[in-house]
Amino acid sequence: MLKYRAGIKKLPEYNVNEHDWKIKLDANECNMNLPPLVEERVMGRISRLAFNRYPALEVQSLIEQLASGYNVMEDNITIANGSSEILEKLFFSFGGRNHRIVYPQPSFSMYKIYTELSNSVGIPFDLAEDYTLDSQKFVNTVNENKAHLAIICAPNNPTGTHIPLEDIEYIAKNIDCAFVVDEAYIEFDGESAVKFCARYPHMMVARTFSKAFGLAGARVGYLIADSRITKVIGKVFMPYHVNSMSAATADIVYQMKVEYEPRIAMMQTERSRIENELNKLDGLKVYPSRTNFVLFKYDKADALNEYLNGRGIAVRNFGNAPRLDNCIRMTAGLREENDICMNIIRNFVQNGGRE
Ligand SMILES: *Cc1c(COP(=O)(O)O)cnc(C)c1O
């Protein structure tokens, strides 16, 4: 008899839509590989790596760079396998039996799963009808429930919604439990909330190289937080959890981050173009986005999703997920990819949802 830990078997599987798609617009990835200049330096560095050694040097070098980039101390930074590993460890460290975790709904689906994995009590906080976050209500929910951890995603995935910095600071100022701002898409939005971390030591920011910096395959993310927090959460990671190749790659990408500015601008332009095009279609409700993706609601979303899949195009269909029924999220890919996808959507919708 296999006796798993309580609760694991009933967790949902993380749906990775693996298939040889012609156009992949379902996971908010960057649809361009490393810029050529970056690739050259990454390959050079990897060819000289000490594969026989544990990765301490490469990780240290990345931490030094991030610390000087953010003007914080090295002990304010924790590196991990994507911000996913950061989030999982934060939920583990601040959660546990009878510990309450407040997370927005709809938002990143993993918040609920990390809550359950860490045996914590989840308190989903409903975003408004237009998916904006009412910071005053959020503060009240956190305080009334005496939460142990509160998280927001700014800008929010999968809705694309911007959260003003004043609102983030208002939350930081008015709650006293651990407060995480997940900034997976901040490069597409505007100014980071990192600057508040020094003033509000219970506030921390999770960032990733996976989205704007197109390094999803390397799995590198990090946390910026007070050194007392990084010291404690550092205890729950495996030794040498981030490998040398990934750390060295992220190190070079971060050094060469100006190379990414034109790409990020292009992804933003493409996102706006998709938003405008979708807005022209009758029967679609398009939510304003400050990310590299657009969420829209359409009463024949399931049929449209199947129609796109049949043509080799992957988008993210939310099926009947809470507060996301009939919603589809489309990542801004390359211009040609977006054109092909938009043409298919346009034809489908203008045909009244018939193929
Ligand atoms: C993609 C994503 C992450 C995790 O990305 P990693 O690849 O694990 O760094 C975290 N939060 C949100 C909201 C995301 O969309």
Side-chain angles (χ1 to χ4, degrees):
M1 232 327 228
L2 300 175
K3 293 189 175 168
Y4 291 98
R5 184 190 178 100
I8 291 188
K9 281 181 78 179
K10 64 175 189 333
L11 284 175
E13 291 174 39
Y14 191 81
N15 236 329
V16 273
N17 207 353
E18 252 2 296
H19 185 78
D20 200 8
W21 300 106
K22 279 199 222 111
I23 300 182
K24 200 170 175 319
L25 304 175
D26 61 338
N28 301 340
E29 293 149 321
C30 167
N31 281 5
M32 288 165 280
N33 207 334
L34 300 174
L37 281 176
V38 176
E39 183 185 337
E40 212 178 289
R41 288 201 34 205
V42 166
M43 295 311 157
R45 173 103 169 250
I46 288 181
S47 72
R48 293 186 305 273
L49 270 188
F51 282 89
N52 55 322
R53 301 291 177 204
Y54 282 113
L57 280 178
E58 282 73 26
V59 169
Q60 179 55 28
S61 164
L62 176 58
I63 290 176
E64 280 169 20
Q65 278 233 55
L66 289 167
S68 79
Y70 284 99
N71 202 15
V72 296
M73 305 301 285
E74 289 168 25
D75 59 7
N76 294 127
I77 293 185
T78 303
I79 307 285
N81 287 287
S83 49
S84 293
E85 194 186 18
I86 293 284
L87 296 174
E88 186 217 0
K89 298 306 185 201
L90 287 173
F91 279 59
F92 182 82
S93 303
F94 290 104
R97 234 167 87 82
N98 299 327
H99 278 215
R100 289 164 298 281
I101 300 182
V102 177
Y103 54 84
Q105 183 170 278
S107 190
F108 191 39
S109 60
M110 294 305 295
Y111 301 153
K112 179 169 193 277
I113 295 177
Y114 297 137
T115 300
E116 286 171 13
L117 276 177
S118 60
N119 298 115
S120 315
V121 181
I123 315 257
F125 171 80
D126 268 322
L127 297 179
E129 192 62 34
D130 62 356
Y131 297 139
T132 51
L133 180 130
D134 182 328
S135 50
Q136 203 174 335
K137 277 193 192 150
F138 186 84
V139 162
N140 292 343
T141 302
V142 171
N143 291 337
E144 280 160 14
N145 288 288
K146 298 192 169 58
H148 298 75
L149 173 66
I151 185 164
I152 61 172
C153 181
N156 191 45
N157 178 18
T159 62
T161 324
H162 171 71
I163 301 178
L165 278 182
E166 309 87 81
D167 291 10
I168 297 176
E169 186 174 19
Y170 173 84
I171 296 170
K173 197 186 279 183
N174 290 289
I175 66 176
D176 60 9
C177 68
F179 174 40
V180 181
V181 183
D182 180 349
E183 288 193 336
Y185 302 94
I186 193 67
E187 294 86 353
F188 302 109
D189 183 356
E191 204 189 341
S192 165
V194 167
K195 62 176 184 184
F196 298 137
C197 292
R199 204 172 321 153
Y200 307 102
H202 61 297
M203 172 179 162
M204 53 206 118
V205 175
R207 303 278 301 250
T208 179
F209 283 96
S210 298
K211 308 286 166 48
F213 293 100
L215 221 55
R219 311 297 298 117
V220 185
Y222 53 97
L223 180 76
I224 300 163
D226 189 89
S227 60
R228 286 162 292 190
I229 296 176
T230 57
K231 189 170 172 166
V232 176
I233 69 153
K235 300 178 186 188
V236 300
F237 290 95
M238 286 189 301
Y240 307 113
H241 52 128
V242 177
N243 73 75
S244 312
M245 288 167 287
S246 293
T249 304
D251 192 25
I252 290 170
V253 166
Y254 196 72
Q255 279 172 38
M256 298 180 81
K257 55 184 181 302
V258 287
E259 296 291 322
Y260 289 82
E261 286 168 9
R263 295 178 157 215
I264 292 170
M266 199 198 80
M267 289 188 264
Q268 288 167 316
T269 307
E270 283 303 300
R271 193 247 7 258
S272 306
R273 210 167 61 85
I274 295 169
E275 271 182 296
N276 288 337
E277 291 298 309
L278 289 169
N279 263 316
K280 290 181 195 157
L281 301 176
D282 284 336
L284 263 66
K285 173 150 182 52
V286 184
Y287 295 92
S289 171
R290 295 278 284 260
T291 61
N292 65 335
F293 57 81
V294 181
L295 184 82
F296 61 91
K297 200 179 183 83
Y298 174 47
D299 61 359
K300 303 190 178 75
D302 285 342
L304 171 60
N305 179 55
E306 273 184 35
Y307 189 64
L308 286 163
N309 289 175
R311 274 143 196 80
I313 300 176
V315 292
R316 179 82 157 87
N317 178 28
F318 286 96
N320 52 11
R323 307 270 324 269
L324 292 171
D325 48 303
N326 289 326
C327 283
I328 286 183
R329 188 190 65 197
M330 170 181 170
T331 305
L334 304 178
R335 189 178 173 94
E336 315 80 81
E337 297 175 323
N338 301 332
D339 283 344
I340 295 170
C341 185
M342 278 309 311
N343 277 332
I344 297 175
I345 295 176
R346 197 177 299 113
N347 286 339
F348 187 88
V349 173
Q350 287 174 349
N351 254 332
R354 284 182 303 273
E355 306 188 6

